[in-house]
Amino acid sequence: MEIPVRDNRQLAAALRRFRRELRHMTQSDLAEAAVTRQATISNAENPRSNMDIDTLFRLLAALNLELVVQPRSAAREDWVERIDWSVLP
């Protein structure tokens, strides 16, 4: 399963989804596997928080996931270009 991630909100949701649905892990289970605290997992799954890159890679490894960097899909780029960003807060 591939989940496109383009911002903090999507990353938080993807980590939570893989942890819960595919690995059937609690936050505490993942914290133990990633050698970190449960609060770190909670923060990682909060779209308003920032995590450092080392933490991200520890979580990905504990979930048996990898980061793949690739160009955005053309459909997504077209959609983003049509947004009137001036009306957003």
Side-chain angles (χ1 to χ4, degrees), residues 52-70:
D52 63 49
I53 196 76
D54 291 332
T55 300
L56 174 61
F57 280 109
R58 281 200 323 270
L59 297 181
L60 292 174
L63 290 167
N64 197 29
L65 300 173
E66 65 184 357
L67 176 66
V68 176
V69 179
Q70 65 183 27

Side-chain angles (χ1 to χ4, degrees), residues 6-12 15 36-37 39-59:
R6 296 179 180 93
D7 59 32
N8 287 359
R9 182 183 55 78
Q10 292 174 341
L11 178 59
L15 290 172
T36 191
R37 300 174 305 122
T40 301
I41 307 305
S42 179
N43 287 336
E45 293 180 357
N46 178 344
R48 288 184 220 99
S49 73
N50 292 316
M51 76 176 108
D52 63 49
I53 196 76
D54 291 332
T55 300
L56 174 61
F57 280 109
R58 281 200 323 270
L59 297 181

Side-chain angles (χ1 to χ4, degrees), residues 78-89:
D78 292 344
W79 177 79
V80 170
E81 289 174 8
R82 290 194 310 265
I83 294 175
D84 182 1
W85 295 101
S86 66
V87 300
L88 298 176

